Amino acid sequence: MNAKEVVELIEKEAVKLVDLRFMDFPGLWQHFTVPARQISEETFTDGLGFDGSSIRGWQAINESDMLVVPDPATAFIDPFFEERTLVVICNIQDPITRQDYGKDPRNIARKAEAYLESSGIGDTAYFGPESEFFIFDDVRFDQTAHAGFFYLDSAEGIWNSGRAEAPNLGYKIRHKEGYFPVPPMDSQQDIRSEMMLLLEEMGIETEAQHHEVATAGQAEIDIRFNPLLHVADQLLIYKYVIKNVARRHNKTVTFMPKPIFGDNGSGMHTHLSIWSGGKNLFFGEGYAGLSDTAMYAIGGLLAHAPSLLAFTNPTTNSYKRLVPGYEAPVNLAYSSRNRSAAIRIPMYSQSERAKRIEFRCPDSTCNPYLAFSAILMAAIDGIQNKIDPGEPLDKDIYDLPPEELAKVPTTPADLAAALSALEEDHEYLLKGDVFTADVIDTWIWYKREREVDALRLRPHPYEFMLYYDI
Protein backbone atom coordinates (compact mmCIF):
# COMPACT_ATOMS: atom_id res chain seq x y z
CA MET A 1 0.00 0.00 0.00
CA ASN A 2 0.99 3.61 -0.52
CA ALA A 3 0.05 6.60 1.66
CA LYS A 4 -3.12 7.35 -0.32
CA GLU A 5 -4.30 3.75 -0.03
CA VAL A 6 -3.70 3.70 3.73
CA VAL A 7 -5.79 6.85 4.20
CA GLU A 8 -8.54 5.29 2.08
CA LEU A 9 -8.33 2.09 4.14
CA ILE A 10 -8.79 4.08 7.35
CA GLU A 11 -12.05 5.49 5.96
CA LYS A 12 -13.25 2.22 4.41
CA GLU A 13 -12.64 0.16 7.56
CA ALA A 14 -14.01 2.85 9.91
CA VAL A 15 -10.68 2.91 11.74
CA LYS A 16 -10.83 4.99 14.92
CA LEU A 17 -7.19 4.78 16.05
CA VAL A 18 -3.77 4.42 14.46
CA ASP A 19 -1.04 2.64 16.41
CA LEU A 20 2.49 3.69 15.45
CA ARG A 21 5.14 1.06 16.17
CA PHE A 22 8.92 1.02 16.13
CA MET A 23 11.75 -1.06 17.57
CA ASP A 24 13.92 -0.05 20.49
CA PHE A 25 17.64 -0.81 20.42
CA PRO A 26 17.69 -4.13 22.36
CA GLY A 27 14.71 -5.49 20.43
CA LEU A 28 11.34 -4.78 22.08
CA TRP A 29 8.48 -3.35 20.01
CA GLN A 30 7.30 0.10 21.15
CA HIS A 31 4.13 2.00 20.28
CA PHE A 32 1.90 5.00 20.79
CA THR A 33 -1.60 5.64 19.47
CA VAL A 34 -3.21 8.67 17.79
CA PRO A 35 -6.79 9.36 16.65
CA ALA A 36 -7.29 8.28 13.04
CA ARG A 37 -8.21 11.86 12.05
CA GLN A 38 -4.57 12.87 12.65
CA ILE A 39 -3.35 10.68 9.79
CA SER A 40 -3.15 12.17 6.31
CA GLU A 41 -1.03 11.44 3.26
CA GLU A 42 1.42 14.08 4.49
CA THR A 43 1.96 12.12 7.72
CA PHE A 44 3.89 9.50 5.72
CA THR A 45 6.48 12.10 4.72
CA ASP A 46 6.33 14.67 7.53
CA GLY A 47 6.15 12.15 10.38
CA LEU A 48 4.96 12.68 13.95
CA GLY A 49 7.06 13.85 16.89
CA PHE A 50 7.77 11.91 20.08
CA ASP A 51 10.22 11.83 23.01
CA GLY A 52 13.06 9.41 22.31
CA SER A 53 14.98 9.91 25.56
CA SER A 54 13.26 7.04 27.39
CA ILE A 55 13.82 4.48 24.64
CA ARG A 56 16.54 2.02 25.68
CA GLY A 57 19.91 2.74 24.06
CA TRP A 58 18.73 5.86 22.23
CA GLN A 59 18.91 9.61 22.74
CA ALA A 60 20.16 11.66 25.68
CA ILE A 61 17.61 13.81 27.53
CA ASN A 62 18.98 17.00 25.92
CA GLU A 63 18.36 15.70 22.38
CA SER A 64 15.14 13.81 22.95
CA ASP A 65 12.87 15.08 20.14
CA MET A 66 12.50 12.56 17.32
CA LEU A 67 10.15 11.71 14.47
CA VAL A 68 8.33 8.51 13.62
CA VAL A 69 7.76 8.26 9.88
CA PRO A 70 5.15 5.58 9.08
CA ASP A 71 5.89 3.11 6.28
CA PRO A 72 2.55 2.68 4.46
CA ALA A 73 3.55 -0.73 3.08
CA THR A 74 3.44 -2.18 6.62
CA ALA A 75 -0.13 -1.21 7.58
CA PHE A 76 -2.48 -3.85 9.03
CA ILE A 77 -5.63 -3.98 11.17
CA ASP A 78 -4.85 -5.02 14.74
CA PRO A 79 -6.76 -8.21 15.63
CA PHE A 80 -6.64 -7.73 19.42
CA PHE A 81 -7.70 -4.18 20.30
CA GLU A 82 -11.31 -3.51 21.26
CA GLU A 83 -11.55 -0.37 19.11
CA ARG A 84 -10.88 -0.56 15.37
CA THR A 85 -7.15 0.17 15.13
CA LEU A 86 -4.73 0.33 12.23
CA VAL A 87 -1.08 -0.49 12.97
CA VAL A 88 1.77 1.02 10.94
CA ILE A 89 5.47 0.23 11.44
CA CYS A 90 7.63 3.35 11.43
CA ASN A 91 11.13 4.52 10.64
CA ILE A 92 12.86 7.01 12.96
CA GLN A 93 14.33 10.34 11.87
CA ASP A 94 16.04 13.34 13.42
CA PRO A 95 13.48 16.20 13.35
CA ILE A 96 16.11 18.84 12.51
CA THR A 97 18.28 17.16 9.88
CA ARG A 98 15.59 14.72 8.70
CA GLN A 99 18.31 12.10 8.54
CA ASP A 100 17.42 8.49 9.33
CA TYR A 101 18.42 7.78 12.93
CA GLY A 102 21.58 5.68 13.17
CA LYS A 103 20.37 3.60 16.14
CA ASP A 104 16.99 2.80 14.63
CA PRO A 105 17.29 -0.97 14.05
CA ARG A 106 14.95 -0.82 11.05
CA ASN A 107 17.19 1.79 9.45
CA ILE A 108 20.17 -0.55 9.85
CA ALA A 109 18.24 -3.32 8.06
CA ARG A 110 17.36 -0.94 5.21
CA LYS A 111 21.04 0.01 4.89
CA ALA A 112 22.06 -3.67 4.85
CA GLU A 113 19.73 -4.35 1.92
CA ALA A 114 21.05 -1.27 0.11
CA TYR A 115 24.65 -2.35 0.71
CA LEU A 116 24.02 -5.79 -0.76
CA GLU A 117 22.75 -4.19 -3.95
CA SER A 118 25.57 -1.63 -4.12
CA SER A 119 28.16 -4.39 -3.62
CA GLY A 120 27.22 -5.89 -6.97
CA ILE A 121 26.90 -9.35 -5.41
CA GLY A 122 23.12 -9.59 -5.52
CA ASP A 123 19.91 -7.64 -5.21
CA THR A 124 17.91 -9.61 -2.63
CA ALA A 125 18.72 -11.52 0.55
CA TYR A 126 16.00 -13.96 1.55
CA PHE A 127 15.64 -14.96 5.19
CA GLY A 128 13.45 -17.71 6.61
CA PRO A 129 13.37 -17.84 10.44
CA GLU A 130 12.14 -20.88 12.40
CA SER A 131 11.16 -19.36 15.73
CA GLU A 132 10.62 -21.65 18.72
CA PHE A 133 8.90 -20.74 21.98
CA PHE A 134 7.29 -22.15 25.13
CA ILE A 135 3.61 -21.85 26.05
CA PHE A 136 3.32 -21.95 29.85
CA ASP A 137 0.30 -21.90 32.17
CA ASP A 138 2.02 -19.95 34.94
CA VAL A 139 5.20 -17.95 35.47
CA ARG A 140 6.47 -16.21 38.59
CA PHE A 141 9.86 -14.64 39.22
CA ASP A 142 11.46 -12.07 41.50
CA GLN A 143 14.87 -10.72 42.42
CA THR A 144 15.56 -8.56 45.45
CA ALA A 145 18.57 -7.88 47.65
CA HIS A 146 17.73 -10.89 49.85
CA ALA A 147 15.76 -13.23 47.57
CA GLY A 148 15.62 -14.52 44.03
CA PHE A 149 13.61 -17.23 42.27
CA PHE A 150 11.66 -18.26 39.18
CA TYR A 151 8.80 -20.71 38.90
CA LEU A 152 7.30 -22.08 35.67
CA ASP A 153 4.40 -24.46 35.20
CA SER A 154 2.66 -26.25 32.37
CA ALA A 155 -0.19 -28.75 32.51
CA GLU A 156 1.73 -31.00 30.11
CA GLY A 157 5.05 -30.71 31.99
CA ILE A 158 6.46 -34.09 32.97
CA TRP A 159 6.97 -32.83 36.54
CA ASN A 160 3.15 -32.80 36.90
CA SER A 161 2.74 -36.53 36.25
CA GLY A 162 2.04 -37.11 39.95
CA ARG A 163 0.07 -33.94 40.70
CA ALA A 164 -3.48 -34.23 42.07
CA GLU A 165 -5.52 -32.65 39.27
CA ALA A 166 -8.93 -34.15 40.10
CA PRO A 167 -8.40 -36.09 37.90
CA ASN A 168 -4.89 -36.24 36.47
CA LEU A 169 -5.35 -37.85 33.05
CA GLY A 170 -1.69 -38.47 32.34
CA TYR A 171 -0.26 -37.73 28.90
CA LYS A 172 2.57 -35.58 30.20
CA ILE A 173 5.37 -35.15 27.68
CA ARG A 174 8.67 -36.61 28.85
CA HIS A 175 11.88 -34.60 28.54
CA LYS A 176 13.13 -34.53 24.94
CA GLU A 177 10.08 -36.47 23.67
CA GLY A 178 7.83 -33.66 22.43
CA TYR A 179 8.75 -34.03 18.73
CA PHE A 180 5.97 -34.75 17.82
CA PRO A 181 3.27 -37.04 19.19
CA VAL A 182 -0.40 -36.53 18.32
CA PRO A 183 -3.04 -35.41 20.85
CA PRO A 184 -3.88 -36.03 23.62
CA MET A 185 -0.13 -36.07 24.37
CA ASP A 186 0.18 -32.86 22.34
CA SER A 187 -2.26 -30.69 24.28
CA GLN A 188 -1.73 -27.46 22.34
CA GLN A 189 -2.66 -28.31 18.75
CA ASP A 190 -5.69 -26.01 18.73
CA ILE A 191 -3.93 -22.98 20.21
CA ARG A 192 -1.05 -23.28 17.72
CA SER A 193 -3.56 -23.63 14.87
CA GLU A 194 -5.33 -20.49 16.05
CA MET A 195 -2.00 -18.64 16.04
CA MET A 196 -1.18 -19.99 12.58
CA LEU A 197 -4.53 -19.12 11.01
CA LEU A 198 -4.50 -15.60 12.46
CA LEU A 199 -1.03 -15.03 10.99
CA GLU A 200 -2.37 -16.22 7.62
CA GLU A 201 -5.34 -13.82 7.89
CA MET A 202 -2.86 -10.99 8.49
CA GLY A 203 -0.98 -11.82 5.30
CA ILE A 204 1.94 -13.70 6.89
CA GLU A 205 2.40 -16.98 5.03
CA THR A 206 3.19 -19.90 7.30
CA GLU A 207 4.68 -23.27 6.40
CA ALA A 208 4.06 -25.55 9.39
CA GLN A 209 3.22 -25.64 13.08
CA HIS A 210 4.11 -28.37 15.53
CA HIS A 211 5.10 -29.27 19.06
CA GLU A 212 8.85 -29.08 19.61
CA VAL A 213 11.19 -31.48 21.39
CA ALA A 214 10.93 -30.25 24.98
CA THR A 215 8.21 -30.94 27.52
CA ALA A 216 5.90 -28.21 28.86
CA GLY A 217 4.53 -26.70 25.67
CA GLN A 218 7.54 -26.03 23.46
CA ALA A 219 6.26 -25.04 20.02
CA GLU A 220 7.31 -23.89 16.58
CA ILE A 221 5.45 -22.08 13.81
CA ASP A 222 7.47 -21.45 10.65
CA ILE A 223 6.90 -18.45 8.40
CA ARG A 224 7.76 -18.33 4.71
CA PHE A 225 11.04 -16.76 3.59
CA ASN A 226 11.02 -13.12 2.46
CA PRO A 227 13.49 -10.28 1.86
CA LEU A 228 15.40 -9.15 4.96
CA LEU A 229 13.42 -6.03 5.95
CA HIS A 230 10.06 -7.58 5.17
CA VAL A 231 10.68 -10.76 7.16
CA ALA A 232 12.05 -8.79 10.13
CA ASP A 233 8.81 -6.77 10.17
CA GLN A 234 6.85 -10.01 9.95
CA LEU A 235 8.77 -11.58 12.83
CA LEU A 236 7.68 -8.72 15.10
CA ILE A 237 4.06 -9.24 14.09
CA TYR A 238 4.57 -12.99 14.60
CA LYS A 239 5.77 -12.57 18.18
CA TYR A 240 2.96 -10.10 18.88
CA VAL A 241 0.33 -12.55 17.61
CA ILE A 242 1.82 -15.57 19.43
CA LYS A 243 1.91 -13.76 22.77
CA ASN A 244 -1.55 -12.27 22.51
CA VAL A 245 -3.29 -15.43 21.31
CA ALA A 246 -1.75 -17.23 24.29
CA ARG A 247 -3.03 -14.44 26.54
CA ARG A 248 -6.56 -15.02 25.15
CA HIS A 249 -6.30 -18.56 26.52
CA ASN A 250 -4.95 -17.41 29.89
CA LYS A 251 -1.50 -18.72 28.99
CA THR A 252 1.86 -17.04 28.62
CA VAL A 253 4.57 -17.34 25.98
CA THR A 254 8.32 -16.89 26.30
CA PHE A 255 10.93 -16.79 23.56
CA MET A 256 13.72 -17.23 26.13
CA PRO A 257 16.22 -19.74 24.71
CA LYS A 258 16.57 -21.85 27.88
CA PRO A 259 13.77 -21.46 30.43
CA ILE A 260 13.85 -25.14 31.53
CA PHE A 261 16.92 -26.93 32.89
CA GLY A 262 17.63 -30.39 31.50
CA ASP A 263 15.61 -30.14 28.28
CA ASN A 264 16.02 -28.66 24.82
CA GLY A 265 16.08 -24.90 24.43
CA SER A 266 14.37 -22.67 21.88
CA GLY A 267 16.32 -21.45 18.88
CA MET A 268 15.57 -19.59 15.68
CA HIS A 269 17.25 -21.51 12.87
CA THR A 270 17.64 -18.94 10.11
CA HIS A 271 17.69 -19.82 6.43
CA LEU A 272 19.57 -17.54 4.02
CA SER A 273 20.00 -17.26 0.26
CA ILE A 274 21.19 -14.37 -1.92
CA TRP A 275 19.63 -13.75 -5.32
CA SER A 276 20.35 -11.56 -8.34
CA GLY A 277 17.96 -10.87 -11.19
CA GLY A 278 15.68 -13.71 -10.10
CA LYS A 279 18.57 -16.21 -9.92
CA ASN A 280 19.57 -17.99 -6.72
CA LEU A 281 23.30 -17.38 -6.33
CA PHE A 282 23.62 -20.17 -3.75
CA PHE A 283 22.57 -22.90 -6.20
CA GLY A 284 25.42 -24.79 -7.81
CA GLU A 285 27.21 -28.07 -8.39
CA GLY A 286 29.48 -28.15 -5.35
CA TYR A 287 29.06 -29.70 -1.93
CA ALA A 288 25.35 -30.35 -1.13
CA GLY A 289 24.35 -28.57 -4.35
CA LEU A 290 25.92 -25.25 -3.36
CA SER A 291 27.75 -22.71 -5.49
CA ASP A 292 31.16 -21.21 -4.74
CA THR A 293 29.32 -18.04 -3.70
CA ALA A 294 27.38 -19.99 -1.07
CA MET A 295 30.55 -21.66 0.19
CA TYR A 296 32.25 -18.28 0.60
CA ALA A 297 29.16 -17.00 2.44
CA ILE A 298 29.48 -19.97 4.81
CA GLY A 299 33.16 -19.09 5.25
CA GLY A 300 32.19 -15.54 6.25
CA LEU A 301 29.60 -16.71 8.75
CA LEU A 302 31.99 -19.17 10.38
CA ALA A 303 34.91 -16.73 10.43
CA HIS A 304 32.85 -14.02 12.12
CA ALA A 305 30.58 -16.27 14.20
CA PRO A 306 32.03 -15.39 17.64
CA SER A 307 31.31 -11.68 17.11
CA LEU A 308 28.15 -12.30 15.07
CA LEU A 309 26.58 -14.13 18.02
CA ALA A 310 26.65 -10.88 20.02
CA PHE A 311 23.69 -9.88 17.81
CA THR A 312 22.09 -13.23 16.95
CA ASN A 313 22.31 -14.63 20.50
CA PRO A 314 22.26 -11.42 22.52
CA THR A 315 21.22 -12.53 26.02
CA THR A 316 22.97 -14.24 28.91
CA ASN A 317 20.30 -16.95 28.67
CA SER A 318 21.21 -17.58 25.01
CA TYR A 319 24.38 -19.41 26.02
CA LYS A 320 22.56 -21.79 28.35
CA ARG A 321 21.02 -23.18 25.13
CA LEU A 322 24.34 -23.37 23.27
CA VAL A 323 25.70 -26.37 25.15
CA PRO A 324 26.38 -29.94 23.90
CA GLY A 325 23.72 -32.61 24.25
CA TYR A 326 20.51 -30.75 23.39
CA GLU A 327 20.66 -30.67 19.57
CA ALA A 328 22.38 -27.31 19.99
CA PRO A 329 24.59 -25.97 17.16
CA VAL A 330 27.74 -25.47 19.23
CA ASN A 331 30.29 -26.45 16.55
CA LEU A 332 31.50 -23.72 14.19
CA ALA A 333 31.40 -25.95 11.14
CA TYR A 334 29.02 -26.76 8.28
CA SER A 335 27.30 -29.95 7.22
CA SER A 336 24.48 -31.23 5.04
CA ARG A 337 23.07 -33.40 7.82
CA ASN A 338 24.79 -32.77 11.16
CA ARG A 339 22.49 -30.73 13.41
CA SER A 340 25.24 -29.99 15.92
CA ALA A 341 26.98 -27.89 13.24
CA ALA A 342 26.40 -24.13 13.26
CA ILE A 343 25.52 -24.21 9.56
CA ARG A 344 23.44 -26.90 7.90
CA ILE A 345 22.50 -27.25 4.23
CA PRO A 346 18.89 -28.50 4.09
CA MET A 347 18.59 -31.46 1.72
CA TYR A 348 14.77 -31.72 1.51
CA SER A 349 14.79 -30.28 -2.01
CA GLN A 350 17.55 -29.90 -4.59
CA SER A 351 15.75 -27.30 -6.74
CA GLU A 352 17.34 -23.93 -7.43
CA ARG A 353 14.54 -22.09 -5.66
CA ALA A 354 14.92 -24.11 -2.45
CA LYS A 355 18.70 -24.09 -2.15
CA ARG A 356 19.87 -22.15 0.89
CA ILE A 357 22.03 -22.39 3.99
CA GLU A 358 20.67 -22.66 7.51
CA PHE A 359 22.45 -20.77 10.29
CA ARG A 360 21.32 -22.66 13.39
CA CYS A 361 22.82 -20.56 16.19
CA PRO A 362 20.36 -17.62 16.45
CA ASP A 363 17.51 -17.45 18.93
CA SER A 364 14.38 -15.32 19.10
CA THR A 365 15.64 -12.96 21.81
CA CYS A 366 17.54 -11.19 19.04
CA ASN A 367 16.51 -7.91 17.47
CA PRO A 368 15.72 -9.30 13.99
CA TYR A 369 16.69 -6.12 12.16
CA LEU A 370 20.17 -6.20 13.73
CA ALA A 371 20.60 -9.99 13.66
CA PHE A 372 19.61 -10.47 10.01
CA SER A 373 21.69 -7.46 8.98
CA ALA A 374 24.74 -8.82 10.80
CA ILE A 375 24.26 -12.28 9.24
CA LEU A 376 24.07 -10.70 5.77
CA MET A 377 27.16 -8.57 6.37
CA ALA A 378 29.18 -11.61 7.49
CA ALA A 379 28.05 -13.55 4.40
CA ILE A 380 28.92 -10.63 2.10
CA ASP A 381 32.36 -10.33 3.68
CA GLY A 382 32.93 -14.03 3.07
CA ILE A 383 31.94 -13.66 -0.59
CA GLN A 384 34.03 -10.53 -1.13
CA ASN A 385 37.13 -12.07 0.44
CA LYS A 386 36.50 -15.63 -0.83
CA ILE A 387 36.80 -17.06 2.68
CA ASP A 388 37.26 -20.82 2.54
CA PRO A 389 34.93 -22.57 5.03
CA GLY A 390 37.18 -25.66 5.18
CA GLU A 391 35.92 -29.22 5.10
CA PRO A 392 32.37 -30.11 6.17
CA LEU A 393 31.70 -31.81 9.50
CA ASP A 394 29.67 -34.79 8.33
CA LYS A 395 30.85 -37.18 11.02
CA ASP A 396 28.98 -37.86 14.25
CA ILE A 397 30.54 -35.24 16.53
CA TYR A 398 30.06 -37.49 19.56
CA ASP A 399 32.16 -40.26 17.98
CA LEU A 400 35.15 -38.06 17.13
CA PRO A 401 38.38 -38.88 18.96
CA PRO A 402 39.48 -36.14 21.40
CA GLU A 403 42.39 -34.98 19.23
CA GLU A 404 40.07 -34.47 16.23
CA LEU A 405 37.31 -32.89 18.32
CA ALA A 406 39.79 -30.36 19.72
CA LYS A 407 40.30 -28.99 16.20
CA VAL A 408 36.61 -28.05 15.81
CA PRO A 409 36.01 -24.47 17.02
CA THR A 410 32.92 -23.85 19.13
CA THR A 411 30.53 -21.01 19.88
CA PRO A 412 31.42 -18.54 22.66
CA ALA A 413 30.79 -19.83 26.17
CA ASP A 414 28.77 -16.81 27.26
CA LEU A 415 27.56 -13.37 26.22
CA ALA A 416 30.63 -11.71 27.72
CA ALA A 417 32.86 -13.70 25.36
CA ALA A 418 30.68 -12.84 22.35
CA LEU A 419 30.82 -9.12 23.22
CA SER A 420 34.61 -9.28 23.54
CA ALA A 421 34.73 -10.96 20.12
CA LEU A 422 32.55 -8.16 18.70
CA GLU A 423 34.90 -5.60 20.20
CA GLU A 424 37.80 -7.22 18.33
CA ASP A 425 36.00 -8.15 15.10
CA HIS A 426 33.44 -5.70 13.69
CA GLU A 427 35.02 -4.13 10.61
CA TYR A 428 32.84 -6.29 8.37
CA LEU A 429 29.76 -4.69 9.96
CA LEU A 430 30.95 -1.14 9.27
CA LYS A 431 31.07 -1.56 5.50
CA GLY A 432 28.64 0.70 3.66
CA ASP A 433 27.96 2.49 6.97
CA VAL A 434 25.41 -0.26 7.72
CA PHE A 435 26.45 -0.53 11.36
CA THR A 436 28.26 2.51 12.72
CA ALA A 437 30.96 2.64 15.40
CA ASP A 438 28.40 4.35 17.65
CA VAL A 439 25.96 1.43 17.20
CA ILE A 440 28.66 -1.15 18.00
CA ASP A 441 29.93 0.77 21.03
CA THR A 442 26.44 1.37 22.40
CA TRP A 443 25.49 -2.30 21.93
CA ILE A 444 28.58 -3.53 23.79
CA TRP A 445 28.13 -0.97 26.59
CA TYR A 446 24.42 -1.70 27.02
CA LYS A 447 24.79 -5.48 27.04
CA ARG A 448 27.75 -5.45 29.43
CA GLU A 449 26.33 -2.99 31.92
CA ARG A 450 22.62 -3.83 31.83
CA GLU A 451 22.82 -7.60 31.38
CA VAL A 452 26.24 -9.27 31.81
CA ASP A 453 27.29 -7.27 34.88
CA ALA A 454 23.74 -7.15 36.27
CA LEU A 455 23.64 -10.96 36.33
CA ARG A 456 27.26 -11.42 37.41
CA LEU A 457 26.80 -9.27 40.53
CA ARG A 458 23.74 -11.12 41.85
CA PRO A 459 23.77 -14.38 43.84
CA HIS A 460 22.24 -17.29 41.93
CA PRO A 461 19.77 -19.65 43.67
CA TYR A 462 21.89 -22.67 42.73
CA GLU A 463 24.91 -21.16 44.48
CA PHE A 464 23.07 -21.73 47.75
CA MET A 465 22.70 -25.38 46.81
CA LEU A 466 26.43 -25.60 46.13
CA TYR A 467 27.97 -23.45 48.82
CA TYR A 468 25.63 -22.54 51.69
CA ASP A 469 27.00 -25.23 54.01
CA ILE A 470 30.67 -24.60 53.35
Side-chain angles (χ1 to χ4, degrees):
M1 282 189 289
N2 57 35
K4 183 175 184 293
E5 290 169 334
V6 172
V7 173
E8 290 172 350
L9 179 66
I10 290 172
E11 184 174 350
K12 177 184 176 183
E13 295 287 335
V15 168
K16 294 183 179 180
L17 301 164
V18 175
D19 203 50
L20 303 167
R21 298 191 185 175
F22 56 93
M23 186 64 117
D24 74 0
F25 199 51
L28 190 64
W29 230 7
Q30 310 289 314
H31 79 132
F32 66 93
T33 308
V34 299
R37 59 177 167 73
Q38 283 193 220
I39 303 299
S40 65
E41 290 184 45
E42 288 71 28
T43 307
F44 294 88
T45 52
D46 296 345
L48 294 169
F50 77 105
D51 177 5
S53 64
S54 296
I55 305 301
R56 298 181 299 171
W58 276 16
Q59 296 288 73
I61 193 70
N62 61 320
E63 29 182 37
S64 60
D65 290 346
M66 307 189 80
L67 289 177
V68 292
V69 183
D71 180 346
T74 66
F76 64 92
I77 300 295
D78 189 282
F80 300 106
F81 291 150
E82 185 174 333
E83 299 293 347
R84 194 69 164 165
T85 303
L86 183 79
V87 175
V88 189
I89 300 174
C90 303
N91 298 313
I92 307 299
Q93 289 186 352
D94 184 290
I96 298 174
T97 66
R98 294 307 305 264
Q99 295 294 308
D100 292 323
Y101 182 49
K103 292 181 187 174
D104 172 18
R106 196 168 191 266
N107 176 40
I108 292 171
R110 291 159 63 209
K111 289 193 292 183
E113 288 190 318
Y115 178 67
L116 171 64
E117 192 162 4
S118 70
S119 72
I121 291 171
D123 52 40
T124 308
Y126 285 107
F127 283 79
E130 298 177 357
S131 185
E132 298 169 342
F133 52 93
F134 279 88
I135 305 172
F136 291 125
D137 293 310
D138 188 32
V139 56
R140 289 178 279 134
F141 51 87
D142 199 5
Q143 180 74 58
T144 66
H146 70 287
F149 78 97
F150 73 89
Y151 179 84
L152 302 168
D153 204 9
S154 166
E156 70 168 44
I158 188 61
W159 54 82
N160 284 322
S161 60
R163 184 171 67 175
E165 295 181 347
N168 187 324
L169 301 177
Y171 302 115
K172 311 298 185 185
I173 292 179
R174 292 176 287 271
H175 289 295
K176 298 188 178 185
E177 294 188 20
Y179 195 86
F180 24 57
V182 298
M185 187 70 83
D186 176 3
S187 66
Q188 298 179 345
Q189 168 71 14
D190 288 339
I191 190 171
R192 291 195 310 271
S193 292
E194 183 179 336
M195 294 167 175
M196 187 180 198
L197 291 173
L198 184 53
L199 288 168
E200 290 275 341
E201 288 176 18
M202 297 172 70
I204 297 178
E205 291 185 71
T206 59
E207 295 188 333
Q209 64 93 343
H210 57 83
H211 202 289
E212 256 299 339
V213 174
T215 187
Q218 190 182 35
E220 179 179 320
I221 302 176
D222 299 332
I223 60 177
R224 186 172 175 78
F225 67 90
N226 267 297
L228 189 160
L229 180 66
H230 186 48
V231 81
D233 287 340
Q234 288 191 329
L235 194 56
L236 300 185
I237 299 170
Y238 170 98
K239 293 177 76 172
Y240 178 72
V241 167
I242 300 304
K243 291 177 180 178
N244 281 283
V245 169
R247 186 68 179 266
R248 278 179 178 174
H249 292 266
N250 203 32
K251 297 181 185 292
T252 179
V253 158
T254 184
F255 289 89
M256 278 180 65
K258 193 75 168 184
I260 298 176
F261 171 70
D263 212 335
N264 283 30
S266 295
M268 188 180 71
H269 305 153
T270 300
H271 298 252
L272 168 67
S273 59
I274 297 176
W275 293 56
S276 180
K279 180 181 179 182
N280 185 356
L281 302 180
F282 281 12
F283 180 73
E285 298 180 355
Y287 175 80
L290 295 177
S291 66
D292 288 344
T293 297
M295 297 300 288
Y296 294 142
I298 291 172
L301 289 170
L302 294 177
H304 297 298
S307 62
L308 182 57
L309 263 62
F311 287 109
T312 62
N313 301 73
T315 68
T316 57
N317 188 253
S318 298
Y319 298 85
K320 292 178 171 61
R321 165 182 167 253
L322 294 178
V323 294
Y326 298 92
E327 298 185 23
V330 296
N331 301 292
L332 296 181
Y334 70 98
S335 173
S336 62
R337 298 285 178 96
N338 196 331
R339 280 175 161 76
S340 69
I343 296 175
R344 190 176 74 92
I345 298 88
M347 303 301 290
Y348 306 120
S349 173
Q350 297 306 301
S351 70
E352 176 182 347
R353 182 171 178 79
K355 187 54 61 179
R356 75 271 190 194
I357 62 177
E358 177 190 6
F359 187 37
R360 294 174 60 81
C361 294
D363 64 59
S364 296
T365 60
C366 72
N367 183 325
Y369 298 118
L370 300 182
F372 295 162
S373 297
I375 290 170
L376 179 59
M377 295 302 288
I380 290 174
D381 188 66
I383 295 167
Q384 289 174 330
N385 293 294
K386 297 185 176 181
I387 298 176
D388 183 355
E391 294 299 315
L393 182 66
D394 287 335
K395 302 176 182 178
D396 185 343
I397 190 72
Y398 303 111
D399 286 340
L400 288 181
E403 61 274 12
E404 192 171 344
L405 182 61
K407 297 177 183 177
V408 180
T410 59
T411 53
D414 52 34
L415 179 58
L419 293 171
S420 294
L422 178 62
E423 205 165 37
E424 295 297 320
D425 174 32
H426 58 257
E427 291 299 318
Y428 68 100
L429 297 170
L430 302 179
K431 293 179 179 179
D433 200 39
V434 175
F435 288 77
T436 62
D438 183 37
V439 166
I440 301 294
D441 291 343
T442 302
W443 186 261
I444 293 171
W445 163 80
Y446 184 94
K447 288 288 174 178
R448 277 181 175 161
E449 181 170 299
R450 302 290 180 87
E451 298 179 30
V452 173
D453 287 348
L455 186 67
R456 180 176 59 85
L457 295 172
R458 286 168 169 80
H460 189 284
Y462 196 64
E463 289 178 311
F464 287 83
M465 180 76 75
L466 293 174
Y467 308 127
Y468 187 77
D469 59 342
I470 290 178

